Amino acid sequence: MSIELDFGAILIEWPQLLKGVGWTLFLTLSSTVIGVSVGSFFSWIQWQKKSIGIHVVSLYVESIRNTPFIIQLFFIFFGLPSLGIKLSAEWASVVAMSINLGAYSTEIIRAGVEAIDRGQIEAAYTLALSRAQTFKRVILPQAYKKIWPSLVSQIIIVMLGSSVCGQVSTEELSYAANLIQSRNFRAFEAFIIAATIYLALCILLRSVLNRLGQRYLFGTRRG
Amino acid sequence: MSDKPLTSEIVIEAKGLKKFFGSKSVLKGIDLTVFQSEVVAIIGRSGSGKSTLLRCLNGLEAFQEGSVRINGAELKTNNAQTLRALRQQIGMIFQSFNLFPHLSVGENLMLAPHLVHKKTKNELSTQAINLLKRVGLEEKFHAFPDELSGGQQQRVAIARALAMGPSILLCDEITSALDPELVSEVLQVVESLAQEGMTLLMVTHEMNFAKKVSHRVIFMHEGRVHEEGSSIDLFTNPKTTELKQFLSSI
Ligand SMILES: Nc1ncnc2c1ncn2[C@@H]1O[C@H](COP(=O)(O)OP(=O)(O)OP(=O)(O)O)[C@@H](O)[C@H]1O
Ligand SMILES: [Mg+2]
């Protein structure tokens, strides 16, 4: 049995693919910014060691980490309207991905925060820094540095997970590939190309994030 | 050096200080008075409570009984605002340096004055350079802590504490983590501070240094001030058997 491959039939639909790449990147970047901010804020709450804060945060973290992403997305897109909260497919996707990354990054950042030497905190207090200043200026930068590789991996996972958002008709990359193959029945080629693009995006994103880490977390050394 | 300081203003006053870790009693009623520009050395066996005493004086540890006054103001460990005001007057240097590894030397010196005193960048960098000169490290402004020797790191830590303009410095075995050949460069800086009139309260195992620069020596034993006196008296004529034993053991 031989199959005749026609990648041209897919590539001719490049505007749809490009749009898909654009949405995938937009979803990833916006949820990274929001999710990592949420994670940083919640790890600050946990660091306060107030029991109510710890309980609220761990309820959030555990409910997200122990449910499938697609259910979280469906809940936000199909479920919340019954409470009168109606989001477009795109915004529902951003919110779901941000909430998802927020939970995982809370855990990741917390591990980094806990690994900071007690002496660092005492030095900061001794210099009359407040708790908030100590967390933001002394603990968090060092914690990011420690956990940056795990955080980058989690961001990559979230980017790959964004392919689920096509299910609510956000026109990201996998939605585009699916749309194209449904028009010309070239499923094999469409998904090979989509996979190749995802692979390239992962490599690109990882190297950009690693470089950002080098630049801003690992010291701006001259010479 | 053993001339008593000229002023007699009390800058640290602890009364009946008691500290427990759980049910373990670590400070069993400490009375301590330190005058302005006085250099006081604290000596004693491991576990006698020397570090805990210092840490109670700047609120790093809460204590259960007694009171502490710094420059007349009562230390309250449950009031963040007053605690921070007090910590601007009382600096602390640690055995393990505790420089911020993600910041350059200059940034280490400027972080706290920037956040706490809200000074401008220009003022701050001039001040930082002057402080680095004072500890002999002005060329290290852009270096990172892990590029420095232990002795250099500790001198930066001293400069960082001075950047907040404290009138008192607490030093907890600040040369214990250093290679022997690096000890003297740090002690020289401390000695120059003493000569300039800084009030110093230092826990030390460097007995020769304590003899040389301190006006007064406090011997702690099992959570109490067991014996105290001028450095000459205490070292040449110890009264209690515990101090005699301690001095002969080192
Ligand atoms: N955070 C803590 N929790 C429980 N016990 C502690 C704590 N810190 C100190 N201790 C105990 O308090 C006692 C006094 O400790 P401290 O560190 O003040 O002694 P030290 O005189 O400074 O000793 P060293 O010369 O070894 O530094 C010790 O028995 C120590 O085990
Ligand atoms: Mg100690």
Side-chain angles (χ1 to χ4, degrees):
Chain A
M1 189 183 95
S2 74
I3 43 168
E4 219 171 287
L5 294 180
D6 182 5
F7 289 105
I10 308 300
L11 294 173
I12 196 118
E13 304 269 13
W14 65 267
Q16 186 73 44
L17 287 171
L18 198 63
K19 188 175 175 190
V21 169
W23 273 112
T24 295
L25 284 178
F26 174 77
L27 292 175
T28 306
L29 297 183
S30 53
S31 63
T32 295
V33 171
I34 301 171
V36 173
S37 306
V38 167
S40 304
F41 180 73
F42 282 166
S43 55
W44 153 247
I45 302 272
Q46 284 177 320
W47 188 69
Q48 302 281 320
K49 302 235 157 57
K50 303 235 167 69
S51 82
I52 172 124
I54 288 176
H55 282 110
V56 170
V57 173
S58 61
L59 182 68
Y60 159 67
V61 169
E62 292 314 318
S63 27
I64 295 302
R65 293 207 310 169
N66 295 297
T67 52
F69 175 62
I70 194 166
I71 298 295
Q72 296 161 18
L73 177 67
F74 282 180
F75 176 76
I76 288 166
F77 187 66
F78 298 117
L80 286 187
S82 24
L83 297 180
I85 304 170
K86 178 113 189 59
L87 297 174
S88 68
E90 291 78 14
W91 283 118
S93 304
V94 169
V95 170
M97 286 170 66
S98 300
I99 289 177
N100 187 270
L101 181 59
Y104 283 94
S105 61
T106 299
E107 272 304 284
I108 294 172
I109 295 168
R110 185 183 65 134
V113 167
E114 282 173 359
I116 303 300
D117 181 26
R118 177 92 208 137
Q120 290 289 312
I121 300 166
E122 295 187 345
Y125 286 168
T126 301
L127 290 164
L129 267 57
S130 67
R131 287 176 68 82
Q133 289 167 338
T134 299
F135 188 79
K136 197 169 149 205
R137 305 301 291 267
V138 174
I139 298 176
L140 208 49
Q142 295 187 58
Y144 281 152
K145 185 171 163 174
K146 279 183 201 287
I147 52 83
W148 194 245
S150 329
L151 197 56
V152 170
S153 296
Q154 192 62 43
I155 292 169
I156 300 281
I157 290 171
V158 163
M159 181 173 88
L160 296 178
S162 73
S163 57
V164 167
C165 298
Q167 300 292 319
V168 295
S169 77
T170 300
E171 297 188 31
E172 42 71 48
L173 181 55
S174 68
Y175 179 93
N178 199 23
L179 187 70
I180 293 168
Q181 71 86 24
S182 72
R183 281 190 203 137
N184 62 15
F185 305 107
R186 293 259 168 210
F188 187 88
E189 293 92 330
F191 290 121
I192 285 260
I193 285 178
T196 310
I197 298 175
Y198 273 115
L199 184 65
L201 287 179
C202 282
I203 293 169
L204 182 79
L205 185 62
R206 196 180 285 276
S207 90
V208 166
L209 290 173
N210 284 342
R211 211 161 297 183
L212 281 177
Q214 287 292 341
R215 178 80 180 74
Y216 293 104
L217 296 176
F218 295 84
T220 45
R221 273 155 222 236
R222 290 136 251 252
Chain B
M1 174 159 109
S2 277
D3 294 339
K4 270 268 165 199
L6 296 172
T7 56
S8 57
E9 201 152 319
I10 295 173
V11 292
I12 301 177
E13 189 175 36
K15 281 190 185 152
L17 199 59
K18 290 190 185 171
K19 165 77 188 168
F20 298 85
F21 284 113
S23 61
K24 186 176 178 188
S25 170
V26 175
L27 298 180
K28 300 172 181 166
I30 303 274
D31 294 310
L32 172 71
T33 306
V34 179
F35 296 91
Q36 191 176 349
S37 299
E38 198 178 14
V39 179
V40 179
I42 302 177
I43 60 173
R45 256 181 242 296
S46 177
S48 57
K50 307 179 297 294
S51 299
T52 306
L53 173 59
L54 285 197
R55 295 160 57 81
C56 283
L57 296 179
N58 69 354
L60 281 183
E61 298 284 0
F63 46 88
Q64 282 75 33
E65 277 179 48
S67 68
V68 171
R69 286 179 172 276
I70 304 295
N71 291 326
E74 177 150 13
L75 185 154
K76 296 197 184 88
T77 44
N78 56 7
N79 184 325
Q81 201 95 31
T82 59
L83 197 54
R84 290 177 63 203
L86 183 141
R87 282 173 176 159
Q88 294 176 47
Q89 303 165 42
I90 183 161
M92 185 165 188
I93 327 278
F94 302 86
Q95 180 175 343
S96 50
F97 326 136
N98 295 341
L99 293 181
F100 303 132
H102 60 299
L103 301 178
S104 70
V105 166
E107 290 164 339
N108 262 277
L109 267 65
M110 298 187 292
L111 180 69
H114 168 66
L115 294 175
V116 179
H117 294 153
K118 317 271 186 235
K119 288 191 186 162
T120 68
K121 262 236 144 75
N122 266 337
E123 280 177 280
L124 287 171
S125 63
T126 313
Q127 185 201 33
I129 289 166
N130 286 335
L131 286 167
L132 287 176
K133 272 189 194 140
R134 191 156 159 192
V135 298
L137 290 171
E138 66 266 37
E139 78 283 4
K140 298 294 185 191
F141 189 91
H142 295 294
F144 277 77
D146 62 6
E147 299 166 333
L148 305 180
S149 73
Q152 291 172 329
Q153 289 190 50
Q154 194 60 294
R155 281 144 69 199
V156 171
I158 294 172
R160 182 177 69 175
L162 295 176
M164 292 300 287
S167 59
I168 305 164
L169 273 187
L170 307 176
C171 302
D172 192 359
E173 297 193 39
I174 63 172
T175 57
S176 296
L178 296 177
D179 293 336
E181 70 272 19
L182 301 177
V183 168
S184 69
E185 66 185 55
V186 171
L187 294 184
Q188 268 168 26
V189 171
V190 176
E191 194 175 348
S192 73
L193 290 173
Q195 278 159 2
E196 289 163 30
M198 177 69 77
T199 308
L200 289 168
L201 187 55
M202 51 186 194
V203 174
T204 184
H205 288 309
E206 299 284 335
M207 293 306 153
N208 289 326
F209 182 70
K211 254 181 242 178
K212 188 171 151 204
V213 304
S214 55
H215 302 111
R216 190 150 55 98
V217 177
I218 287 172
F219 171 63
M220 284 190 63
H221 183 70
E222 293 180 350
R224 290 198 169 83
V225 175
H226 202 69
E227 194 171 336
E228 81 180 293
S230 75
S231 62
I232 306 173
D233 281 356
L234 210 91
F235 286 115
T236 53
N237 188 19
K239 295 191 182 63
T240 61
T241 48
E242 288 79 9
L243 179 56
K244 282 176 195 161
Q245 275 173 7
F246 175 74
L247 289 176
S248 63
S249 73
I250 47 171

